[in-house]
Amino acid sequence: QLQLVESGGGLVQAGGSLRLSCAASGRAFSIYNMGWFRQAPGKEREFVAAHGWSGSITTYEDSVKGRFTISRDNAKNTVYLQMNSLEPEDTAVYYCAADRGRLSRTGTTYDYWGQGTQVTVSS
């Protein structure tokens, strides 16, 4: 079992930055791939970024490449999403998720999910 709690969301102006955190409790955080997903009102959930359990393998959705950075600190059982140059289109509820299998961009492969944190970007 893994429990995930996101924090760091809020209201920011376009061009601003936020850093989301996802704290995990339970065992063996270090062996899970960690992903960030988001869901905007009226839209389906979409993949944002993921970080492999070993090494520094990461993958990003095209629209956030160069603006968002995913990182993890296994000693703190935490994964982060640094979001820079935010755009109104980034407005969504952001969720972190954990997965034991191959690094995936597909939400259905993730086993554990947090409750989400709201990010609102004003123009």
Side-chain angles (χ1 to χ4, degrees):
Q1 286 283 357
L2 203 64
Q3 292 80 42
L4 304 174
V5 178
E6 302 95 337
S7 61
L11 173 64
V12 64
Q13 288 189 330
S17 298
L18 283 174
R19 188 177 81 154
L20 305 183
S21 299
C22 173
S25 59
R27 310 191 211 182
F29 169 79
S30 63
I31 67 171
Y32 284 88
N33 302 315
M34 297 301 297
W36 285 96
F37 293 79
R38 65 187 179 186
Q39 187 166 21
K43 295 187 177 181
E44 293 188 354
R45 181 180 63 196
E46 67 173 355
F47 169 78
V48 176
H51 196 298
W53 68 273
S54 69
S56 59
I57 297 174
T58 58
T59 183
Y60 295 90
E61 195 268 331
D62 286 347
S63 70
V64 308
K65 281 180 183 177
R67 300 189 298 123
F68 291 10
T69 304
I70 187 171
S71 61
R72 66 190 295 164
D73 185 338
N74 287 342
K76 295 183 178 180
N77 282 8
T78 301
V79 63
Y80 304 97
L81 186 68
Q82 177 67 44
M83 305 186 295
N84 299 328
S85 302
L86 282 160
E87 303 168 352
E89 293 73 21
D90 296 317
T91 295
V93 177
Y94 283 70
Y95 300 90
C96 71
D99 170 36
R100 284 286 307 272
R102 295 178 65 179
L103 190 60
S104 172
R105 301 161 64 99
T106 304
T108 53
T109 66
Y110 284 76
D111 301 310
Y112 301 102
W113 291 82
Q115 293 300 305
T117 185
Q118 176 70 48
V119 171
T120 303
V121 184
S122 63
S123 56

